[in-house]
Amino acid sequence: MAITADHIRDKLIKELAAVHVDVEDTSPNRCAASYKVLVVSSQFEGKPLLQRHRMVNTCLVEELKEIHAFEQKTLTPEQWDKQKSQ
Amino acid sequence: MMKLGASASSSASLSPSSSFPSSLLAELLSSSFLFLDSTLAFFAISFFCLSLSRFLLRFAVLSSAARLFCSTLSRYSAKCLWTGAAVRLPRQPDGRVLTASSARFLCAAAGPAKDLGEMVKKDKVVVFMKGTPAQPLCGFSNAVVQILRMHGVDDYAAYNVLDDSELREGVKAFSNWPTIPQVYFSGEFVGGCDILLQMHQNGDLVDELKKLGISSALLKAENESK
């Protein structure tokens, strides 16, 4: 199965009950398949940063075997709203 | 390949009147060395040829053709020994020479997970990255180096995963983290570039460094400006 931005977005929405997901394919800037994601989910509430990132990593464990570079930002809905208003 | 090139160029510099068979034999000898895996056998044969040809040259009774053969052979053997030493024996960065077998033994003796456990505890700040702090070879690894530098953290252990593919895969399994760079504080996994950057931006990094007993340069600068 080819990894596409849509595939990643769908998986994140499904498994993390994300209210907002941004997936950016940054491969043109790098040497191989690279993605930058923003995930907003209430499941991140009360969890430290590392744990949030590990949740995303677990969700995308199969895809990450193929992806070369991966950037992620994980926010709760409140943090997301605050960031939007800035 | 290097040895063959060396002998090829030297044969080109020989005078046209040099005997064809002797240079051909020497070429065959040196090319056969390429297939010899054993460093010891290579040196033994080179040395044997060298001493044999030198020995024979001492005898004035030899015909001129034979003398030419022996001198060509000794020249090639000497060249093989010389270039062979440069090419065949792997050198450590500080110039020490390890034979292939001892280097392999050293690698096999180290167990990856056990080593990593010790590596991350040996120093307060440990970074697994691509490249070195002086020369990062990846944008994310560079970001980590720059952030640490901004906080005045210069004394940390940095391991270049590009030097060692076993380390590269081993650290990903050990941390259960798919990407490089990876940062450890006091043996505890902190995260990658994204996490370090967010910690730097929201002030958590200064606090974490304080817990390690490291006073961040940014904290000092902030106190001075107050």
Side-chain angles (χ1 to χ4, degrees):
Chain A
M1 195 195 332
I3 300 173
T4 61
D6 288 328
H7 169 81
I8 294 178
R9 184 184 298 121
D10 293 338
K11 208 163 181 196
L12 286 169
I13 292 175
K14 198 172 66 167
E15 291 189 26
L16 296 178
V19 298
H20 182 87
V21 175
D22 264 340
V23 180
E24 191 188 326
D25 185 345
T26 56
S27 310
N29 305 342
R30 319 230 180 268
C31 45
S34 322
Y35 290 93
K36 184 170 175 170
V37 303
L38 165 68
V39 188
V40 182
S41 163
S42 49
Q43 285 186 8
F44 294 147
E45 206 81 47
K47 294 209 172 74
L49 203 48
L50 183 59
Q51 207 171 343
R52 298 184 189 185
H53 283 225
R54 284 208 189 271
M55 282 168 69
V56 174
N57 288 354
T58 313
C59 169
L60 296 173
V61 65
E62 290 305 318
E63 287 74 11
L64 283 168
K65 289 185 190 156
E66 315 287 318
I67 294 173
H68 174 77
F70 187 69
E71 291 173 80
Q72 54 168 308
K73 233 182 168 78
T74 49
L75 299 170
T76 61
E78 290 80 17
Q79 289 172 324
W80 172 234
D81 288 331
K82 201 164 34 157
Q83 191 176 297
K84 270 195 288 188
S85 60
Q86 278 171 351
Chain B
M1 287 301 129
M2 238 180 179
K3 293 200 294 293
L4 199 55
S7 39
S9 57
S10 63
S11 63
S13 61
L14 281 172
S15 62
S17 60
S18 66
S19 64
F20 182 68
S22 64
S23 58
L24 184 65
L25 178 64
E27 280 259 319
L28 279 170
L29 262 174
S30 49
S31 55
S32 69
F33 290 154
L34 288 169
F35 300 103
L36 278 177
D37 236 346
S38 165
T39 308
L40 207 58
F42 159 73
F43 279 113
I45 295 178
S46 288
F47 194 71
F48 173 74
C49 290
L50 183 63
S51 21
L52 180 67
S53 47
R54 289 257 168 88
F55 176 75
L56 288 174
L57 277 172
R58 297 227 173 89
F59 290 91
V61 294
L62 284 178
S63 69
S64 59
R67 291 187 78 83
L68 190 58
F69 171 80
C70 287
S71 62
T72 315
L73 190 62
S74 76
R75 215 175 325 159
Y76 275 110
S77 317
K79 208 167 208 40
C80 280
L81 274 173
W82 186 250
T83 54
V87 173
R88 279 271 186 162
L89 294 179
R91 282 179 195 281
Q92 298 290 81
D94 54 27
R96 287 181 296 126
V97 172
L98 271 182
T99 63
S101 49
S102 74
R104 243 176 277 139
F105 174 69
L106 278 174
C107 284
K114 174 171 148 311
D115 262 3
L116 282 166
E118 285 171 15
M119 278 160 85
V120 301
K121 294 206 183 88
K122 242 189 343 183
D123 302 274
K124 276 189 194 167
V125 180
V126 177
V127 178
F128 296 93
M129 60 182 288
K130 293 184 178 178
T132 62
Q135 197 171 30
L137 294 176
C138 147
F140 302 127
S141 292
N142 185 36
V144 167
V145 168
Q146 297 310 322
I147 292 173
L148 289 174
R149 187 171 295 156
M150 265 196 266
H151 287 262
V153 182
D154 287 315
D155 186 23
Y156 58 94
Y159 298 98
N160 185 356
V161 304
L162 296 178
D163 273 346
D164 184 350
S165 55
E166 260 184 46
L167 175 66
R168 188 174 178 172
E169 296 314 306
V171 75
K172 287 182 190 175
F174 180 78
S175 316
N176 190 16
W177 190 261
T179 52
I180 306 289
Q182 296 188 6
V183 181
Y184 277 83
F185 285 170
S186 281
E188 208 181 296
F189 182 61
V190 173
C193 165
D194 289 334
I195 292 182
L196 203 72
L197 184 61
Q198 284 194 263
M199 286 170 69
H200 163 70
Q201 286 169 336
N202 64 17
D204 286 345
L205 186 54
V206 172
D207 295 333
E208 286 301 312
L209 288 173
K210 206 191 296 187
K211 282 190 214 163
L212 295 175
I214 300 173
S215 185
S216 164
L218 293 182
L219 184 65
K220 281 191 230 141
E222 207 183 288
N223 288 340
E224 275 166 21
S225 65
K226 283 189 188 149

